[in-house]
Amino acid sequence: MLYAQVHLTLPAWVHQEIDLDRSYDDDATRMAFVIGLARRNVELGTGGPFGAAIFNGEGRIVSIGVNRVMPQNCSLAHAEIMAFMTAQQRLQRFRLNEDGSRFLLATSAQPCCQCYGASFWAGIDEMIIGARSEDVHELTEFDEGPLPADWVGELVKRGIEVRRDVLRQSAREVLAFYRDQGGVSY
């Protein structure tokens, strides 16, 4: 039989982690939140060591994502992709900022080539990143794929402001924790 439907889910525990009324007012607070998601995902064995969230212009959570590749048997189920998809479903539009609203993606690690590409079309205006790609390669066996030499410049050309190394050491610690737990590549 040919499947005509795809169904991806976040783990049930995420509902306990989200306070939709809370405002996350700065990069450090937003990054601490997504790093916490990444850590919980590893602790609870529900996926890989990556977390992401979409915040609106008021600093409120629109959606979250954690890596679900292995549990969902889907190579596309990266944290950023899960956050993009759930935000798009919640807002019922494929380009989040098409109405002039502003959106920020916070991601615990530099996007891989897939998530980087999706960032162009998802409709985000800002991206904050914890760990760097070289941290992911150093501490895990993940292959993040190729990016353009000036990948940040390419995002900026498309109107996406990028801030890197936000709580980088904390993000690295989650990657090391995953490795030390015997993590496999997702």
Side-chain angles (χ1 to χ4, degrees):
M1 171 169 55
L2 178 67
Y3 287 109
Q5 182 177 354
V6 175
H7 183 78
L8 298 175
T9 60
L10 292 170
W13 61 261
V14 300
H15 299 288
Q16 301 161 5
E17 304 292 323
I18 300 174
D19 179 356
L20 294 176
D21 295 323
R22 179 178 174 190
S23 180
Y24 295 78
D25 297 324
D26 57 44
D27 287 354
T29 305
R30 293 174 187 137
M31 186 57 63
F33 175 73
V34 298
I35 290 171
L37 291 175
R39 179 171 283 280
R40 290 291 285 160
N41 207 35
V42 174
E43 289 171 347
L44 297 174
T46 53
F50 303 100
I54 306 287
F55 295 90
N56 67 19
E58 292 81 46
R60 293 201 184 340
I61 295 171
V62 175
S63 68
I64 69 162
V66 292
N67 179 284
R68 298 285 288 158
V69 170
M70 297 274 297
Q72 300 282 267
N73 294 309
C74 180
S75 63
L76 302 175
H78 291 197
E80 298 92 336
I81 300 298
M82 297 296 286
F84 288 148
M85 290 189 310
T86 54
Q88 291 160 344
Q89 288 299 300
R90 180 176 180 195
L91 299 177
Q92 288 297 290
R93 54 184 186 249
F94 64 88
R95 186 153 183 87
L96 300 175
N97 62 3
E98 72 182 11
D99 69 349
S101 301
R102 292 189 58 81
F103 293 91
L104 176 143
L105 168 68
T107 179
S108 64
Q110 179 178 316
C112 69
C113 59
Q114 168 191 263
C115 298
Y116 171 77
S119 298
F120 293 143
W121 300 292
I124 59 169
D125 304 286
E126 299 175 69
M127 179 187 298
I128 60 171
I129 302 166
R132 290 184 174 219
S133 179
E134 52 263 35
D135 300 328
V136 174
H137 290 164
E138 173 191 339
L139 297 167
T140 72
E141 296 181 7
F142 292 103
D143 179 357
E144 298 296 276
L147 291 179
D150 186 22
W151 64 271
V152 172
E154 290 296 326
L155 289 169
V156 171
K157 278 198 290 192
R158 289 165 172 82
I160 302 171
E161 181 182 332
V162 178
R163 294 183 296 283
R164 298 171 70 189
D165 300 335
V166 179
L167 302 182
R168 182 179 179 189
Q169 186 54 41
S170 295
R172 284 178 51 86
E173 289 168 8
V174 172
L175 296 169
F177 174 67
Y178 175 78
R179 177 201 60 209
D180 295 345
Q181 299 299 308
V184 297
S185 296
Y186 287 122

